[in-house]
């Protein structure tokens, strides 16, 4: 067996320290236990396997991709076992821990300004596409627009949740950037029980919330935020709103406060998207009556964000809670 044999099959952890109605349970799938440290291991294995079968990815080729870090780590990990060169582009808000991990795995990392607009040559997606076009024989996963992204979750994440919890699942809640997790998992769960509610979580500064509710993409609403791996400044084709029932907005403060709660009360050291997901799961759980089960995912580990989410100086410097114990903010 090699490292990819251990992708998937992650445990579901019941969260018991949040104030939700009696008889309403919250479960979180510990995706940080994948060998590459995140939920993105699932989609990268699925897409690379497909590309190799179809002859789109040949021995010794270069893989190019834009990433907020986790997809890049999965690519670098699997490329190391398959003999591919890797070039990754990412926005400069990505933590140093993530950048260093990618380099340690042998990837070339190109950092682009987070503030670059989507149509700019400096935008990390545009940069990746240019490198791909200029590199003969290269392969790009195109995770934002590739339907195999969502298919990976339809084939793995969704079935694993259903096998563990079955018809007790009331709602699935997750943030989205490419849309793969929310789209594929929700589609599978709804195929087994159409009454399952799917809730997408979107950070303030992203476009998905307004697009879902009003059908509008307003460039004026695009603004920087600190959470990595959630939200977007353009519509990803992988995002399937037909299986989404509602979209809730969260703030960086919501996500980071919940991260602290998870670490200090549940013993789970998780990244910002995990905090956002659990914040949303709690919001949904509080709207339900027993019996009900809300499921979410913990996409990656907090070890990738020690210099940010779990660094009090960084939190204070960026205006989060002015040094107060953030774990107290999560049930407000």
């Amino acid at each position: 067996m090699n490292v990819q044999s251990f992708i998937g099959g992650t445990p579901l952890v019941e969260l018991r320290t949040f104030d939700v109605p009696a008889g309403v349970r919250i479960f979180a799938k510990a995706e940080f236990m994948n060998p590459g440290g995140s939920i993105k291991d699932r989609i990268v294995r699925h897409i690379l396997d497909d590309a190799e079968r179809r002859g789109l990815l040949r021995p010794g080729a270069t893989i190019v991709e834009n990433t907020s870090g986790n997809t890049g780590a999965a690519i670098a990990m699997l490329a190391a076992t398959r003999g591919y060169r890797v070039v990754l582009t990412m926005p400069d808000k990505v933590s140093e821990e993530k950048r260093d991990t990618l380099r340690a795995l042998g990837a070339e990392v190109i950092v682009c300004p987070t503030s670059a607009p989507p149509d700019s040559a400096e935008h990390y997606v545009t940069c990746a596409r240019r490198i791909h076009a200029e590199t003969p024989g290269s392969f790009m996963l195109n995770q934002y627009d590739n339907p195999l992204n969502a298919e990976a979750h339809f084939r793995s994440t969704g079935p694993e949740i259903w096998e563990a919890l079955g018809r007790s699942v009331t709602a699935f809640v997750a943030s989205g950037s490419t849309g793969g997790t929310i789209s594929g998992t929700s589609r599978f769960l709804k195929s087994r029980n159409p009454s399952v509610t799917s809730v997408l979580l979107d950070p303030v500064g992203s476009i998905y919330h307004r697009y879902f509710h009003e059908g509008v993409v307003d460039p004026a609403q695009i603004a920087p935020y600190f959470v990595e791996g959630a939200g977007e400044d353009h519509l990803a084709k992988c995002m399937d709103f037909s299986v989404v029932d509602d979209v809730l907005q969260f703030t960086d403060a919501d996500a980071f406060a919940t991260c602290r709660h998870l670490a200090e009360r549940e013993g789970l050291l998780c990244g910002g998207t995990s905090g956002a997901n659990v914040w949303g799961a709690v919001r949904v759980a509080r709207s339900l009556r027993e019996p009900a089960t809300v499921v979410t995912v913990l996409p990656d580990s907090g070890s990738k964000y020690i210099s940010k989410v779990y660094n009090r100086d960084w939190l204070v410097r960026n205006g989060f809670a002015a040094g107060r114990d953030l774990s107290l903010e999560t049930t407000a």
Side-chain angles (χ1 to χ4, degrees):
M1 292 191 294
N2 63 23
V3 68
Q4 78 167 23
S5 303
F6 302 100
I7 295 173
T10 55
L12 275 165
V13 179
E14 184 170 6
L15 306 179
R16 298 174 179 269
T17 62
F18 291 91
D19 181 17
V20 297
V24 178
R25 307 172 76 187
I26 300 175
F27 288 88
K29 200 156 174 54
E31 290 298 294
F32 56 81
M33 296 185 71
N34 283 301
S38 86
I39 196 169
K40 295 296 188 177
D41 288 9
R42 296 175 183 269
I43 74 163
V44 171
R45 178 179 62 178
H46 189 61
I47 293 173
L48 294 187
D49 286 350
D50 177 80
E52 289 174 345
R53 282 195 300 269
R54 296 168 59 195
L56 301 176
L57 183 55
R58 299 186 178 279
T62 298
I63 301 174
V64 182
E65 188 68 8
N66 45 278
T67 176
S68 61
N70 286 328
T71 299
I75 292 171
M77 176 186 71
L78 293 178
T81 70
R82 303 186 189 198
Y84 301 120
R85 174 175 173 252
V86 177
V87 179
L88 302 168
T89 66
M90 59 178 50
D92 57 16
K93 74 175 182 179
V94 169
S95 69
E96 288 293 340
E97 292 93 332
K98 282 185 178 180
R99 301 183 205 180
D100 290 344
T101 297
L102 299 178
R103 294 184 179 112
L105 288 167
E108 178 183 346
V109 178
I110 299 172
V111 180
C112 304
T114 300
S115 59
D119 57 353
S120 166
E122 294 185 307
H123 192 274
Y124 75 113
V125 176
T126 306
C127 181
R129 289 173 177 166
R130 176 180 55 77
I131 295 170
H132 172 48
E134 295 174 353
T135 307
S138 63
F139 175 75
M140 189 169 178
L141 280 75
N142 195 22
Q143 61 172 322
Y144 286 84
D145 298 332
N146 191 336
L148 293 176
N149 179 344
E151 183 179 285
H153 294 289
F154 181 85
R155 291 177 177 269
S156 65
T157 314
E160 288 174 22
I161 291 171
W162 185 260
E163 182 179 356
L165 298 172
R167 296 191 69 86
S168 70
V169 177
T170 308
F172 178 69
V173 181
S175 55
S177 180
T178 67
T181 300
I182 189 75
S183 300
T185 307
S186 298
R187 181 156 52 90
F188 180 86
L189 293 175
K190 286 175 176 287
S191 74
R192 294 297 185 269
N193 180 6
S195 68
V196 171
T197 299
S198 171
V199 180
L200 171 67
L201 306 172
D202 195 42
V204 173
S206 171
I207 64 170
Y208 289 142
H209 181 265
R210 185 171 182 188
Y211 179 78
F212 178 83
H213 290 286
E214 301 178 29
V216 173
V217 174
D218 183 0
Q221 288 194 312
I222 299 173
Y225 49 88
F226 289 102
V227 171
E228 301 174 25
E232 201 44 70
D233 57 11
H234 67 285
L235 290 174
K237 293 180 181 177
C238 187
M239 179 69 78
D240 182 4
F241 286 107
S242 72
V243 295
V244 175
D245 298 294
D246 197 8
V247 179
L248 302 178
Q249 275 189 310
F250 68 89
T251 66
D252 288 322
D254 294 327
F256 297 159
T258 310
C259 284
R260 303 285 291 208
H261 181 107
L262 286 169
E264 296 169 10
R265 301 287 304 282
E266 299 277 359
L268 294 166
L269 189 69
C270 300
T273 50
S274 300
N277 288 354
V278 173
W279 175 87
V282 172
R283 282 281 303 273
V284 172
R286 289 175 178 169
S287 71
L288 300 174
R289 296 180 180 178
E290 63 174 319
T293 300
V294 180
V295 184
T296 189
V297 293
L298 306 176
D300 67 359
S301 168
S303 63
K304 301 178 181 182
Y305 309 92
I306 296 297
S307 65
K308 298 175 70 175
V309 179
Y310 297 96
N311 183 294
R312 188 165 294 278
D313 290 340
W314 183 90
L315 291 167
V316 172
R317 188 165 62 248
N318 288 285
F320 295 109
R324 288 178 291 160
D325 182 354
L326 293 184
S327 67
L328 301 178
E329 305 296 321
T330 188
T331 56

